[in-house]
Amino acid sequence: MERPLIEISALNKEFRGGIQALRDVDLTVASGEVVVVLGPSGSGKSTLIRCINGLETTTGGSIRVDGQQVNGISQRRWRKVRLNVGMVFQNYALFPHLNVLGNITLAPRRAGIMRRAEAEDEARRLLDMVGLADKETAPVASLSGGQQQRVAICRALAMQPKVLLFDEPTSALDPEMVGEVLAVMKRLAQEGITMICVTHEMGFARSAADRVIFMDQGEIVEMASPDNFFTAPKAERSRRFLELISRHDA
Amino acid sequence: MQLIIDSLPLLWRGLIVTFQLASLTLLFTAFISLFVGIASVSRFWTLRALAVIYVEFFRDIPLVVNLLFVYFGAPLVGLALDPFSAALVSFTSWGSANGAEIIRGGFNALAKHQRESAQALGLRSWETMFLVLLPQIVLPILPAFTGLFSLLIQATSLATLVGATEFLRSAKIIVERQTMMTGESPAFMVFGFVLCVYFVICYSLNLFTAWLERRIVTARTVHRHAPQEIASTHETQVNPENT
Ligand SMILES: Nc1ncnc2c1ncn2[C@@H]1O[C@H](COP(=O)(O)OP(=O)(O)OP(=O)(O)O)[C@@H](O)[C@H]1O
Ligand SMILES: [Mg+2]
């Protein structure tokens, strides 16, 4: 059997001040898999994916990324790991002093993955894929939220990561822009890119996810295929969550 | 007026000293501010602590006291400084403590996601600092730094107190000499001239930074499309959604 890309076992995270954000979380993600993380606010979804690229330290358990033990390693060694782990933030976090091309090419050039011309070609290819071919020289402040988020996805992809983490990539967007970002994410899912997505977009979870994880109070309450999860949730807490969501959507 | 024209060589020499003192002060202040400011947001607590001590120590002492202390105190530890050097050390320490605080404020005002997204992209910590964070704080701290630089230029006149023959002191010498020779004090005119010179220098500095600010803002927000449009200086506004 192929080695899983991400192996998390008995992961615990307690913030200073005593908040237990993760409790004995076990999760294995295979290469090419799309995992959607659902759960109410404060359930530890962001904390979980932030532990996978070292933006949070852990207080117990183990994380392996691509076979390498990563919890507790130095910032210097995290850098190497992060070259393989892309992340897309809720508020895009593009670099406002660089234009679109500069945002996308900075990291691959600094990491020595590509030279300038090569990086720019790759950036153009990615921009074309997300429908922003005409924006390569635009300052990021001139773009809409949906456009900025698509650039942020290109920026992460330009590093050719083995896995992409998304933390509520559409939550900060105006409703009319959600679709364009989800379309890009669906396309990436179809292309076989390994993704872990925290999102409240149930439609996306249904259509793109291989697996759905439901978290509550720092625990993984339920893990199932989207079909099973949405039609026949096993746990009481999942049922209540889905009920709330559907009532909200109606 | 004739007096000022006659005294120009002396005033000019004083002005040169003021220029030297001011430019060296600003140069060192900029570098040390940057260094201490970066230390104050380091992930190593020892660096942060040292930065805080430096900033608090020099910020909480009046500049005049600092200057007198450096000039008259340095010989006691076997470091006799001439007036110019004493002034330079004093103004730079005071300026860089304030400058470091401005820079620290600039970093703190940046969204935390900026640092995180740079880290998440696998940038090294110096790359994160110099290619991502620092370029972003330039614009927001520009006004405060202009203010500080302006204060420092004005503060160079304090060097008179320890006997540096800079611009203000040259003027004073002229006034005293003239008063002695003619019995009439030309203080109003001579110091008025000094005032105007300081005003022109600091006001030009303000104009320059205002211009710089506008340029940076334009570069970061306005999407210049095709070359023809640049040629006609026509600026393209934010484009409507294209999907
Ligand atoms: N830096 C922090 N310091 C202390 N507590 C924190 C910190 N970050 C998160 N927490 C706490 O950890 C818990 C989990 O937070 P987390 O952000 O992972 O939740 P989430 O599921 O992503 O929620 P949301 O849907 O609101 O984004 C919450 O109780 C939160 O208050
Ligand atoms: Mg969250």
Side-chain angles (χ1 to χ4, degrees):
Chain A
M1 202 190 105
E2 204 189 335
R3 184 176 67 191
L5 200 50
I6 289 170
E7 290 174 88
I8 297 173
S9 63
L11 186 67
N12 277 276
K13 168 67 184 178
E14 186 178 337
F15 280 107
R16 241 175 290 170
I19 294 173
Q20 188 80 31
L22 297 175
R23 296 165 208 266
D24 292 326
V25 169
D26 295 306
L27 174 65
T28 304
V29 179
S31 188
E33 220 184 342
V34 177
V35 175
V36 166
V37 182
L38 301 175
S41 182
S43 55
K45 310 179 295 293
S46 297
T47 308
L48 174 62
I49 63 170
R50 287 164 59 84
C51 286
I52 298 173
N53 71 352
L55 292 180
E56 286 318 336
T57 55
T58 58
T59 48
S62 101
I63 306 179
R64 281 170 175 277
V65 176
D66 204 19
Q68 192 197 343
Q69 185 77 38
V70 294
N71 41 313
I73 64 176
S74 67
Q75 283 296 311
R76 205 175 284 261
R77 287 182 59 205
W78 259 120
R79 191 184 79 80
K80 293 263 164 57
V81 177
R82 287 175 182 141
L83 297 175
N84 288 319
V85 182
M87 177 139 178
V88 176
F89 294 84
Q90 179 173 348
N91 49 9
Y92 344 124
L94 292 179
F95 305 136
H97 59 296
L98 300 174
N99 68 11
V100 167
L101 221 48
N103 267 273
I104 300 175
T105 57
L106 176 66
R109 286 175 60 193
R110 296 307 318 175
I113 297 174
M114 289 178 238
R115 289 178 173 283
R116 180 178 184 149
E118 209 182 333
E120 289 184 348
D121 284 346
E122 175 65 7
R124 289 194 187 98
R125 188 185 70 77
L126 292 167
L127 284 171
D128 194 42
M129 179 192 79
V130 303
L132 293 173
D134 57 332
K135 296 292 185 193
E136 55 180 71
T137 58
V140 295
S142 71
L143 302 180
S144 72
Q147 292 173 333
Q148 290 195 41
Q149 193 59 295
R150 284 181 280 158
V151 172
I153 293 174
C154 293
R155 181 175 69 170
L157 283 172
M159 291 296 287
Q160 303 169 340
K162 292 188 173 155
V163 55
L164 261 186
L165 310 174
F166 290 84
D167 193 358
E168 302 198 26
T170 57
S171 299
L173 297 176
D174 291 337
E176 72 271 20
M177 295 172 188
V178 170
E180 69 198 46
V181 172
L182 289 179
V184 170
M185 291 170 62
K186 277 181 194 154
R187 171 157 180 190
L188 297 177
Q190 277 157 12
E191 284 178 8
I193 292 186
T194 314
M195 312 200 306
I196 303 178
C197 312
V198 175
T199 180
H200 294 300
E201 296 296 331
M202 299 301 147
F204 175 79
R206 251 182 244 266
S207 65
D210 296 310
R211 214 160 16 127
V212 169
I213 289 172
F214 174 71
M215 292 184 71
D216 190 24
Q217 300 187 346
E219 293 173 317
I220 294 187
V221 176
E222 185 160 354
M223 194 178 316
S225 71
D227 274 351
N228 287 342
F229 183 78
F230 288 108
T231 54
K234 289 203 193 69
E236 174 60 29
R237 279 188 273 180
S238 318
R239 269 198 290 277
R240 243 181 295 139
F241 176 75
L242 286 173
E243 234 167 69
L244 271 175
I245 295 265
S246 59
R247 215 179 300 155
H248 181 78
D249 280 352
Chain B
M1 203 61 224
Q2 189 54 42
L3 173 64
I4 289 186
I5 293 170
D6 289 345
S7 323
L8 272 182
L10 182 58
L11 283 173
W12 180 246
R13 254 175 286 144
L15 195 58
I16 295 281
V17 173
T18 291
F19 260 119
Q20 286 169 338
L21 184 56
S23 44
L24 286 176
T25 300
L26 298 192
L27 186 74
F28 287 132
T29 294
F31 271 107
I32 299 175
S33 297
L34 189 62
F35 189 77
V36 178
I38 289 175
S40 70
V41 293
S42 158
R43 63 188 148 97
F44 304 108
W45 72 267
T46 35
L47 280 181
R48 286 201 307 272
L50 287 175
V52 168
I53 292 170
Y54 183 88
V55 167
E56 285 307 321
F57 184 74
F58 288 112
R59 255 176 21 125
D60 297 343
I61 302 170
L63 184 53
V64 183
V65 178
N66 180 326
L67 174 63
L68 295 177
F69 184 79
V70 170
Y71 183 65
F72 293 107
L76 301 182
V77 292
L79 245 178
L81 293 176
D82 59 89
F84 186 91
S85 313
L88 182 58
V89 168
S90 164
F91 300 158
T92 302
S93 58
W94 183 85
S96 56
N98 284 283
E101 192 60 9
I102 294 172
I103 289 179
R104 191 178 68 87
F107 283 127
N108 287 346
L110 276 187
K112 143 177 168 253
H113 275 117
Q114 284 295 322
R115 188 178 216 144
E116 288 186 343
S117 69
Q119 282 177 333
L121 283 165
L123 294 175
R124 297 167 183 86
S125 48
W126 73 264
E127 292 169 335
T128 303
M129 174 53 69
F130 288 97
L131 304 177
V132 175
L133 303 180
L134 204 52
Q136 291 188 50
I137 69 165
V138 170
L139 188 60
I141 69 174
L142 207 51
F145 248 92
T146 312
L148 178 62
F149 277 12
S150 189
L151 273 182
L152 281 170
I153 292 172
Q154 294 164 31
T156 55
S157 57
L158 291 176
T160 303
L161 292 177
V162 293
T165 315
E166 41 69 77
F167 191 44
L168 180 61
R169 193 174 160 86
S170 314
K172 229 166 87 191
I173 292 171
I174 292 163
V175 171
E176 278 160 11
R177 201 187 282 162
Q178 189 72 8
T179 312
M180 234 165 34
M181 286 193 309
T182 65
E184 262 174 60
S185 169
F188 182 78
M189 202 169 76
V190 175
F191 288 132
F193 177 70
V194 169
L195 181 148
C196 291
V197 170
Y198 274 110
F199 177 80
V200 167
I201 294 173
C202 290
Y203 188 63
S204 318
L205 178 69
N206 293 346
L207 288 182
F208 171 72
T209 45
W211 170 82
L212 196 63
E213 230 176 309
R214 272 197 308 276
R215 273 204 48 164
I216 300 178
V217 170
T218 311
R220 287 186 189 175
T221 51
V222 180
H223 185 187
R224 292 170 193 279
H225 248 319
Q228 309 93 286
E229 280 172 325
I230 295 175
S232 65
T233 69
H234 173 81
E235 287 167 348
T236 315
Q237 286 307 307
V238 177
N239 279 4
E241 192 61 18
N242 72 335
T243 41

